[in-house]
Amino acid sequence: MLLPMSTDPVPTPHATAEQVEAAWGDPKLANVLYHDWEAGTYDEKWSISYDERCIDYAAGRFRLAAPWDGRPYLRALELGSGTGFFLLNLMQAGVADRGAVTDLSPGMVEAALRNARHLDLDVEGRVADAERIPYPDDSFDLVVGHAVLHHIPDVEAALREVLRVLEPGGRFVFAGEPTTVGDAYARKLGQWTWKATTTLTKLPGLTGWRRPQHELDESSRAAALESVVDIHTFDPDELEGTARRAGARDVRVATEEFSAAMLGWPVRTFEAAVPPGRLGWNWAMFAFHGWQRLSWVDEHLLSRVVPRSWFYNALVTGTKPR
């Protein structure tokens, strides 16, 4: 049985300069402030939806990482759930029946539970530290996460906690983790795109493509915390070793997105720099289908010749010993 939801802290969607200053020396506080700030616009920023497009994406990442026979897991937990993108779409794909979402950010937990209610999914939520998961031993048969491990100070400790709350034979799947090489080129592409967009939209005739200055300033201030909240990048071999040291068996790391990341990061940064709704449906289809085509190239062609450590995303899976 899952425990009832506890009383959680109130979100802080607009961090003060003093709070941001304090967060520079506290990665966990930085994660709370940064993700509380992003909670209200996170789905829009990352083009997250809960329809066939993202259901297929989430299920595809799960199948790339781990074997799955098509039968649903009964109880699934998501660490660092954000707005619930990974678990909620996996549940819609039939991967899990019931779920629990946890995140260090109260704003993200609120957003995830709101999304679950809209989708009529059986999900509870808690504000929780991944290094101290507030559930008993053997509570779940599946633990998942998307783009969360690189935010956790002690990844090995978090994976030991994951194994503790998994029942014997249970599986974990973490996707969307940046590789060391991939993170280097993605950050450069993002920085160049942001600079170019915010500079060009000052020109006459292009000001309608520019967000209000106070939004750009707030975005820049909060985005500055990325150097604090993004603690790790991963070498695939080293990530496998970390999972094994935590006690996992059947550990495997896969990687994806090389040319797709070269398109995806400039696209996402450009979308974040212009007013919401300015780009329209045609842009969305260009971005989605462009990513799809380049992902096909990555999977079927480049994966044969490019080292796996050069791809942007790492996905790790393993099981708890029986």
Side-chain angles (χ1 to χ4, degrees):
M1 288 291 293
L2 300 184
L3 298 179
M5 187 175 68
S6 59
T7 301
D8 287 332
V10 176
T12 307
H14 302 288
T16 65
E18 291 76 16
Q19 288 174 315
V20 172
E21 183 64 28
W24 283 103
D26 186 342
K28 292 185 180 180
L29 174 61
N31 265 292
V32 172
L33 297 180
Y34 179 77
H35 290 101
D36 273 3
W37 168 74
E38 281 208 315
T41 58
Y42 193 78
D43 285 352
E44 178 187 7
K45 175 182 177 180
W46 295 102
S47 299
I48 289 172
S49 64
Y50 299 90
D51 54 16
E52 184 177 354
R53 177 176 65 90
C54 281
I55 294 171
D56 289 346
Y57 176 86
R61 308 288 71 70
F62 191 87
R63 291 190 183 95
L64 176 61
W68 181 47
D69 62 9
R71 291 180 294 178
Y73 290 83
L74 298 180
R75 297 164 296 169
L77 168 69
E78 181 170 14
L79 292 190
S81 64
T83 58
F85 154 73
F86 201 39
L87 179 59
L88 302 188
N89 280 312
L90 287 176
M91 291 177 71
Q92 291 190 97
V95 174
D97 282 338
R98 292 189 295 139
V101 293
T102 61
D103 199 291
L104 204 58
S105 159
M108 287 296 190
V109 173
E110 282 189 359
L113 292 176
R114 185 167 58 248
N115 286 332
R117 286 194 297 270
H118 289 164
L119 297 167
D120 197 26
L121 296 174
D122 185 2
V123 176
E124 69 160 68
R126 297 219 196 139
V127 175
D129 187 335
E131 295 173 15
R132 295 186 296 275
I133 301 172
Y135 287 98
D137 297 359
D138 307 336
S139 293
F140 302 93
D141 51 357
L142 176 67
V143 176
V144 299
H146 190 279
V148 59
L149 295 182
H150 68 283
H151 293 311
I152 300 172
D154 191 336
V155 175
E156 187 174 333
L159 290 176
R160 285 197 296 270
E161 275 289 275
V162 166
L163 293 170
R164 179 185 65 78
V165 301
L166 277 173
E167 60 186 31
R171 178 173 295 277
F172 64 82
V173 173
F174 291 95
E177 300 299 337
T179 65
T180 301
V181 174
D183 183 72
Y185 60 70
R187 285 188 180 275
K188 285 297 181 184
L189 288 169
Q191 290 166 2
W192 294 338
T193 304
W194 181 266
K195 180 65 174 178
T197 304
T198 55
T199 300
L200 290 173
T201 51
K202 293 179 181 179
L203 298 175
L206 294 178
T207 54
W209 288 86
R210 185 176 179 82
R211 281 184 182 262
Q213 190 60 44
H214 73 275
E215 292 184 9
L216 293 174
D217 291 343
E218 184 178 18
S219 179
S220 296
R221 185 173 70 184
L225 288 176
E226 284 187 337
S227 62
V228 182
V229 303
D230 293 346
I231 302 173
H232 307 287
T233 58
F234 298 100
D235 173 84
D237 292 338
E238 292 176 0
L239 183 55
E240 286 176 345
T242 300
R244 291 191 180 101
R245 286 194 303 273
R249 291 187 179 175
D250 309 314
V251 176
R252 173 179 176 267
V253 170
T255 57
E256 63 171 354
E257 291 195 23
F258 182 62
S259 64
M262 302 288 187
L263 171 70
W265 277 98
V267 162
R268 293 175 188 129
T269 305
F270 178 64
E271 290 172 345
V274 303
R278 192 70 171 82
L279 297 170
W281 179 254
N282 289 337
W283 170 268
M285 289 300 96
F286 153 74
F288 177 56
H289 292 305
W291 176 85
Q292 274 189 321
R293 294 185 183 101
L294 291 177
S295 293
W296 187 95
V297 171
D298 291 339
E299 180 181 355
H300 294 92
L301 300 176
L302 296 182
S303 63
R304 301 175 183 177
V305 295
V306 176
R308 70 172 182 165
S309 61
W310 291 16
F311 285 73
Y312 178 76
N313 276 331
L315 309 88
V316 61
T317 190
T319 60
K320 179 174 180 174
R322 292 185 181 277

